[in-house]
């Protein structure tokens, strides 16, 4: 028995407010703690807060400009070669940021090493270009990039801060404890990156679970109040 | 049909219970560890007593609190946390600050055992996970050895033991009454200075608290084997591999590579082979697999000790062996009755993937 009419699934277009477009990257769709994207820089360069901040800002910069350009050119990029085009655009801005960091501080450039060039293959940036900038207006793409960039920087700072405080007793190079503080060397080593990421993910998932548990109760309460009125 | 359902009870294997419980075995492991523990306290004084108690209490308390926090029934009663805590304590250097002992103990139980799902699910020996974490976090403190049989060991604690949390331990006071000594392994590796077999076997040397007296550890192991609570094939395979390989290399270059007796009784080999590698959860289950596992661990110990940068490699060798054991199990499944040998491995792997 076939239904006479084909079933049409209605696509609901949810228009988000511009503030929400920015905020979603910071919290609800945080690129590191929720989407778990771009793990290579998250684990590799967060051994100190300054490295984490530089990497976060560099990624945010590339994300912003590549989202802008991709969004501008979205009607002109042929879909068959879109990935190659995105990568070309991203690589251009990575080269810019590479020279920029080199000009500002050679020391940080050295300590970040190959990871600056590797921003090209950061799946967060390609992901935003493909999933968002190539389908949305310039303004929304910019807001999205700002939010995602800020969320990524925030996450890297969370990682780098904890690892530097425990692993060296300092934050941004400023000593926090007395002279005979015993550093936890493991936190600066790669394994410390995994420990810290695991702990943060645990914390964020816990908070999210709490919120989700509260939400149905809240909605039920609102409905109750609505029916009373 | 109804009658059948009543009389025929269908359940999955195993159908024959051995009558032995986890508590029973774990309690016996604790008894088997007691001689080595007593010697540790005799050789390193009240510092060792304090450190071992703190290590054991930390592990038991962590397990209890985690179970409670996760809303489960506390599994402290099965004695496995006591075994982990005591073993973990015995692998630590005497004079390690107590706050590090507590930190490593929490990591051992939380990261090494609870996160995997508790007893029976831990992929690695929890005691060694705790020790490996400390080794990576505080490499200096974990390789500073206060000497054994110091004259005032029953009157004063080592100055480093009571270091305030998060502070660097101070070894100066300990160094005053008897220089912080090197272990026989470090002496051999860096100074080519061998230690006598008698001193090594009876534990009159520096080292981790529980690893020095090989004879007493062996005694505990023999008791467990006699009560059929330990798989003798694992230590036998490790000892065999180590003896053969070290005899071979010692024959080639006696100045550089130590002989079999030194290798056997120095460092944590005896403690690791008898009590750590035999961890029932983290070792393979098949008879052939167990032998392969022992040979792999023995060979890794030799490789790390002879050619690695560190003097000791038992901990990493056993942890690597633990990581391999599910794969060893998968490779050494016995032929299922009624199946051809060629087919069984594919069939097993299909089951294994599900």
């Amino acid at each position: 028995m076939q239904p006479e009419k084909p079933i049409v699934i209605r696509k609901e277009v949810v228009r988000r407010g511009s503030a929400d477009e920015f905020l979603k990257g910071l919290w609800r769709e945080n690129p590191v703690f929720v989407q778990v994207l771009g793990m290579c820089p998250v684990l590799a360069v967060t051994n100190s807060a300054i490295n984490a901040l530089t990497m976060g800002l560099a990624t945010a910069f590339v994300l912003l400009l590549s989202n802008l350009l991709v969004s501008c050119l979205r009607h002109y990029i042929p879909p068959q070669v879109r990935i190659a085009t995105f990568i070309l655009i991203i690589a251009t801005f990575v080269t810019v940021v590479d020279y920029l960091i080199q000009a500002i501080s050679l020391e940080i450039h050295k300590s970040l090493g190959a990871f600056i060039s590797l921003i090209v293959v950061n799946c967060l940036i390609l992901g935003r270009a493909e999933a968002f900038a190539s389908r949305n207006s310039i303004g929304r793409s910019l807001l999205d990039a700002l939010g995602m960039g800020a969320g990524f920087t925030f996450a890297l700072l969370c990682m780098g801060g904890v690892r530097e405080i425990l692993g060296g007793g300092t934050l941004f190079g400023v000593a926090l404890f007395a002279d005979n503080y015993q550093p936890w060397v493991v936190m600066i080593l790669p394994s410390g990156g995994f420990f810290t990421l695991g702990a943060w993910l645990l914390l964020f998932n816990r908070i999210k679970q709490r919120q989700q548990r509260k939400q149905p109760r809240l909605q039920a309460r609102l409905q109750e109040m609505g029916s009373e009125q | 049909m109804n009658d059948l359902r009543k009389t025929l009870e269908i359940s999955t294997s195993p159908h024959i219970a051995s009558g032995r419980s986890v508590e029973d075995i774990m309690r016996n492991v604790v008894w088997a560890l007691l001689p080595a523990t007593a010697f540790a306290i005799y050789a390193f004084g009240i510092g060792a007593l304090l450190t071992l108690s703190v290590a054991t209490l930390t592990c038991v308390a962590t397990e209890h609190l985690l179970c409670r926090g996760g809303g489960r029934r506390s599994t402290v009663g099965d004695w496995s946390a006591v075994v982990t805590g005591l073993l973990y304590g015995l692998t630590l250097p005497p004079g390690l600050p107590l706050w590090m002992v507590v930190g490593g103990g929490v990591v051992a139980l939380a990261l090494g055992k609870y996160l995997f799902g508790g007893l029976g699910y831990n992929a690695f020996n929890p005691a060694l996970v705790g020790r490996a974490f400390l080794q990576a976090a505080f490499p200096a403190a974990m390789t500073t050895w206060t000497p054994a049989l110091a004259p005032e060991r029953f009157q004063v604690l080592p100055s480093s033991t009571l270091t305030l949390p998060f502070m660097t331990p101070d070894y100066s006071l300990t160094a005053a009454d008897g220089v912080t000594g090197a272990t026989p392994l470090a002496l051999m590796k860096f100074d080519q200075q061998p230690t006598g077999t008698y001193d090594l076997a009876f534990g009159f040397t520096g080292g981790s608290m529980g690893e020095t007296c090989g004879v007493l550890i062996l005694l505990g192991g023999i008791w467990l084997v006699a009560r059929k609570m330990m798989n003798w094939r694992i230590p036998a395979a490790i000892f065999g591999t180590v003896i053969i390989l070290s005899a071979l290399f010692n024959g080639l270059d006696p100045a550089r590579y130590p002989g079999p007796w030194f290798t056997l009784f120095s460092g944590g080999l005896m403690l690791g082979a008898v009590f750590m590698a035999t961890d029932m959860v983290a070792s393979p289950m098949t008879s052939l697999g167990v032998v392969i596992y022992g040979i792999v661990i023995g060979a890794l110990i030799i490789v790390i000790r002879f050619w690695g940068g560190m003097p000791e490699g038992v901990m990493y060798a056993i942890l690597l062996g633990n990581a391999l054991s599910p794969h060893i199990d998968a490779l050494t499944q016995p032929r299922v009755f009624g199946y051809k040998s060629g087919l069984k491995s594919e069939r097993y792997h299909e089951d294994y993937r599900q």
Side-chain angles (χ1 to χ4, degrees):
Chain A
M1 286 259 286
Q2 292 239 329
E4 288 173 7
K5 279 183 188 171
I7 299 163
V8 179
I9 301 164
R10 255 184 64 208
K11 273 188 186 169
E12 279 187 49
V13 183
V14 183
R15 294 296 290 183
R16 289 195 176 110
S18 14
D20 195 45
E21 206 71 81
F22 171 73
L23 285 176
K24 73 170 196 286
L26 263 182
W27 184 257
R28 205 179 54 248
E29 290 174 29
N30 187 297
V32 174
F33 294 137
V34 177
Q35 302 185 53
V36 201
L37 287 177
M39 282 301 107
C40 167
V42 168
L43 290 167
V45 299
T46 53
N47 49 10
S48 75
I50 188 75
N51 282 359
L53 182 68
T54 316
M55 178 49 81
L57 289 180
T59 311
F61 174 82
V62 175
L63 186 58
L64 186 68
L65 290 183
S66 62
N67 253 19
L68 173 71
L69 203 59
V70 167
S71 182
C72 288
L73 300 174
R74 67 186 188 278
H75 300 301
Y76 308 100
I77 298 172
Q80 297 89 342
V81 292
R82 66 183 194 285
I83 299 287
T85 318
F86 296 158
I87 289 286
L88 200 65
I89 292 170
I90 295 165
T92 312
F93 293 117
V94 169
T95 312
V96 172
V97 97
D98 191 12
Y99 284 121
L100 203 65
I101 294 175
Q102 215 169 344
I104 295 170
S105 165
L106 208 57
E107 203 184 328
I108 293 176
H109 187 267
K110 257 185 200 157
S111 71
L112 288 179
F115 289 100
I116 302 175
S117 321
L118 283 175
I119 296 175
V120 176
V121 286
N122 190 326
C123 45
L124 167 67
I125 298 176
L126 188 62
R128 290 334 283 177
E130 164 76 9
F132 201 92
S134 59
R135 291 156 198 204
N136 284 287
S137 67
I138 296 171
R140 299 186 87 78
S141 300
L142 279 178
L143 278 173
D144 176 73
L146 276 176
M148 289 289 164
F152 192 70
T153 312
F154 164 69
L156 284 187
L157 270 178
C158 283
M159 295 276 298
V162 168
R163 288 180 70 184
E164 194 183 336
I165 291 172
L166 280 177
T170 58
L171 188 62
F172 289 108
V174 181
L176 296 178
F177 304 105
D179 281 345
N180 55 350
Y181 173 78
Q182 169 74 48
W184 300 52
V185 182
V186 70
M187 298 312 278
I188 295 183
L189 300 177
S191 47
F194 285 98
F195 290 147
T196 320
L197 182 66
W200 277 116
L201 284 177
L202 193 75
L203 184 72
F204 274 81
N205 280 327
R206 183 100 199 189
I207 296 171
K208 255 180 28 182
Q209 270 184 356
R210 282 248 169 110
Q211 283 176 342
Q212 277 170 359
R213 233 178 288 154
K214 269 183 198 162
Q215 241 159 18
R217 255 184 271 159
L218 200 73
Q219 277 169 358
R221 179 104 185 95
L222 283 175
Q223 273 180 356
E224 226 170 80
M225 282 163 69
S227 63
E228 274 168 21
Q229 284 169 1
Chain B
M1 268 316 260
N2 267 336
D3 290 343
L4 244 181
R5 209 177 290 155
K6 272 174 198 162
T7 49
L8 185 65
E9 198 173 290
I10 299 170
S11 68
T12 54
S13 61
H15 302 288
I16 304 169
S18 74
R20 234 175 225 159
S21 60
V22 175
E23 294 92 341
D24 196 23
I25 293 175
M26 289 297 171
R27 214 181 305 121
N28 275 285
V29 175
V30 173
W31 300 150
L33 276 170
L34 280 184
T37 313
F39 184 82
I41 295 168
Y42 164 71
F44 297 103
I46 45 170
L49 180 64
L50 191 62
T51 310
L52 288 172
S53 329
V54 167
T56 313
L57 281 178
T58 308
C59 286
V60 173
T62 310
E63 169 134 326
H64 185 72
L65 291 177
L66 280 175
C67 286
R68 278 297 159 90
R72 292 165 155 212
R73 204 172 53 82
S74 175
T75 46
V76 165
D78 67 10
W79 285 72
S80 63
V82 178
V83 170
T84 300
L86 195 55
L87 271 177
Y88 160 70
L90 288 174
T91 62
L92 299 175
L96 189 75
L98 288 180
W99 70 270
M100 293 183 188
V101 176
V102 172
V106 171
V107 168
L109 254 290
L111 204 66
K113 191 173 165 194
Y114 190 79
L115 272 188
F116 284 99
L119 185 68
Y121 301 97
N122 47 310
F124 299 96
N125 183 322
L128 284 180
V129 171
R131 192 189 194 278
F133 178 81
L134 285 187
Q135 178 83 59
F138 313 112
M142 285 297 283
T143 46
T144 308
W145 315 94
T146 49
L149 304 167
E152 291 193 325
R153 62 186 185 279
F154 291 111
Q155 282 92 47
V156 285
L157 281 171
S159 58
S160 50
T161 300
L162 293 177
T163 311
L164 288 173
F166 300 102
M167 294 299 148
T168 317
D170 173 22
Y171 291 100
S172 59
L173 289 174
T174 324
D177 21 82
V179 199
T180 49
T183 60
L185 273 172
L187 282 175
M188 183 69 202
K189 184 157 188 123
F190 303 120
D191 305 326
Q192 272 76 44
Q193 193 185 324
T195 311
T197 309
Y198 174 81
D199 281 353
L200 282 174
F202 291 97
F204 303 117
T205 59
S208 294
M209 277 182 286
E211 71 181 21
T212 51
C213 189
V215 172
L216 287 180
I217 297 168
L218 216 51
L219 210 66
I222 290 169
W223 190 65
L224 279 184
V225 169
R227 306 204 64 181
K228 296 197 170 139
M229 288 178 173
M230 191 176 84
N231 195 336
W232 61 271
R233 288 183 186 85
I234 298 174
I238 296 177
F239 294 155
T241 314
V242 164
I243 289 173
I244 291 170
L245 284 180
S246 59
L248 183 72
F249 287 108
N250 186 42
L252 288 176
D253 186 356
R256 198 172 154 209
Y257 304 118
W261 294 115
F262 178 88
T263 316
L264 210 55
F265 283 106
S266 60
L269 197 145
M270 203 50 87
L271 186 67
V274 174
F275 285 106
M276 309 258 180
T278 51
D279 185 313
M280 285 185 172
V281 184
S283 58
M285 282 182 277
T286 59
S287 299
L288 176 63
V290 157
V291 175
I292 296 174
Y293 170 79
I295 292 173
V296 166
I297 292 178
L300 279 171
I301 292 172
I302 291 292
V303 167
I304 298 174
R305 278 193 184 178
F306 284 6
W307 298 290
M310 297 168 294
E312 178 60 308
V314 172
M315 173 178 71
Y316 294 118
I318 295 176
L319 285 173
L320 279 168
N322 288 165
L324 282 179
S325 68
H327 305 289
I328 296 174
D329 258 344
L331 283 175
T332 57
Q333 281 300 305
R335 190 173 66 87
V336 176
F337 184 74
Y339 282 93
K340 281 181 189 168
S341 59
L343 286 170
K344 113 255 112 179
S345 62
E346 279 169 32
R347 208 187 114 76
Y348 178 75
H349 280 294
E350 272 164 26
D351 292 349
Y352 191 67
R353 281 199 198 100
Q354 295 165 2

